[in-house]
Amino acid sequence: MAVVITQLFNGISLGSILLLIALGLAITFGLMNVINMAHGEFIMAGAYTTYVVQQAFSHYIPASLFNYYYVAAIPLSFLIGALLGFVLEKTLIRFLYHRPLDSLLATWGVSLILQQVARSIFGAPNVAVTAPTWLDGGLTIAGAVLPYKRLFIIALVTICMVSLYLYLDKTAAGRKMRAVTMNRSMASSLGVSTKKVDATAFAIGSGLAGIAGCALTVLGPIGSTIGTYYIVDAFMIVILGGIGSLIGTVFGALSVGMLGTIAEFWSGASMAKVIVFVAIIAFLQFKPAGLLSARTRSLE
């Protein structure tokens, strides 16, 4: 029972991290048809923001308040990621809408540039972020220990999902974003500024990637290539879930997380990657649109 609970928890935990990373891609890819290879660098930006906030608290804030640095780092990571995404959209992405190949090449170049900038500022070696003491330890259930760090990440992802749902469903700006996703030309003819919606969506997606980077800092060291490790998995999840479908992205992330954890338990980390890839490719042969395709209002 302990082994089963541990594997289920690890699968949900991994799926939660992948979901937070893939949410931003699901928004931008589904809305603008832009393949953003620099998405991983927004994760890196959020991770390094957390590191900088930790250093600032350790040098300029009383030691008794050090454990609260992480609370300040989460919104700052979102803001830094969103700001970078907004600037990138205004200066480059808006000229590449509905040009997937061009956007792939251009954002890949931006990815390499941002990685080199990070190396120049923080150095090539990885840096460590000390997790707050209130995240030490774990919850014991039926002999299985569930680390507080991963429980916190699951809670953080849940909050982000609920917040995104409320934004898209309950606010005027969110409803405009959904309208543009369903039918861009019709939304534009009804007075919706599609350029403004695109910039907002790209900033939100980049900010979510920044939060993902902040979450990853409690699991291990961070470096300039931290986003590269997750970007392929994130694209797989978006395609598996259905391009433009946020609910599909949720199911896709949890499916990949559970399958990867179970495969790694039985066969090892390297073989688990192969098994996940093969399973996704096989599934897409039978259902190319993914688990849940996004609804549109356009005529065929």
Side-chain angles (χ1 to χ4, degrees):
M1 180 60 70
V3 173
V4 171
I5 293 175
T6 301
Q7 294 306 310
L8 287 174
F9 176 76
N10 288 341
I12 295 173
S13 174
L14 176 59
S16 299
I17 295 172
L18 294 175
L19 172 60
L20 196 55
I21 295 170
L23 273 177
L25 280 180
I27 294 172
T28 56
F29 197 15
L31 182 67
M32 293 174 274
N33 198 22
V34 169
I35 300 177
N36 180 20
M37 294 301 293
H39 191 74
E41 278 52 60
F42 300 138
I43 300 172
M44 175 194 71
Y48 274 123
T49 298
T50 306
Y51 173 74
V52 171
V53 171
Q54 176 199 253
Q55 295 300 309
F57 265 68
S58 64
H59 287 89
Y60 305 109
I61 303 296
S64 59
L65 298 177
F66 176 78
N67 280 327
Y68 296 100
Y69 85 86
Y70 201 72
V71 177
I74 294 173
L76 282 176
S77 297
F78 177 84
L79 290 175
I80 294 298
L83 179 61
L84 284 176
F86 184 81
V87 171
L88 181 62
E89 195 279 336
K90 289 292 186 182
T91 57
L92 178 65
I93 299 297
R94 67 167 42 197
F95 305 108
L96 301 173
Y97 289 153
H98 304 289
R99 294 162 57 186
L101 182 58
D102 293 341
S103 66
L104 186 152
L105 294 173
T107 54
W108 183 50
V110 172
S111 168
L112 297 177
I113 292 171
L114 291 177
Q115 287 183 30
Q116 188 56 49
V117 170
R119 291 190 194 99
S120 301
I121 297 175
F122 299 100
N126 290 351
V127 296
V129 174
T130 304
T133 56
W134 46 271
L135 288 179
D136 294 338
L139 181 66
T140 303
I141 298 178
V145 179
L146 312 182
Y148 288 136
K149 293 177 182 179
R150 292 185 177 272
L151 287 170
F152 176 80
I153 290 175
I154 293 173
L156 179 62
V157 173
T158 303
I159 292 171
C160 289
M161 279 296 302
V162 172
S163 300
L164 184 60
Y165 167 76
L166 293 176
Y167 174 79
L168 293 175
D169 196 62
K170 304 298 182 183
T171 67
R175 288 192 289 269
K176 288 178 182 178
M177 193 178 299
R178 291 170 57 197
V180 173
T181 302
M182 290 181 177
N183 192 317
R184 175 177 291 268
S185 58
M186 180 60 74
S188 178
S189 67
L190 292 174
V192 176
S193 175
T194 56
K195 290 185 178 180
K196 184 177 180 180
V197 170
D198 290 336
T200 303
F202 204 87
I204 291 174
S206 304
L208 290 173
I211 294 179
C214 181
L216 289 173
T217 58
V218 302
L219 300 180
I222 60 172
S224 59
T225 59
I226 185 173
T228 307
Y229 181 79
Y230 292 97
I231 190 66
V232 174
D233 290 338
F235 272 111
M236 284 196 309
I237 289 167
V238 172
I239 295 171
L240 175 63
I243 296 174
S245 173
L246 295 182
I247 299 299
T249 303
V250 174
F251 285 111
L254 293 177
S255 300
V256 170
M258 293 299 299
L259 178 59
T261 301
I262 294 172
E264 185 174 346
F265 178 74
W266 291 106
S267 62
S270 299
M271 194 61 190
K273 282 279 187 182
V274 176
I275 293 173
V276 171
F277 271 110
V278 171
I280 292 175
I281 292 171
F283 177 82
L284 292 176
Q285 297 301 310
F286 296 99
K287 196 165 184 180
L291 291 169
L292 297 171
S293 57
R295 295 181 302 167
T296 64
R297 299 288 185 181
S298 57
L299 295 175
E300 296 295 337

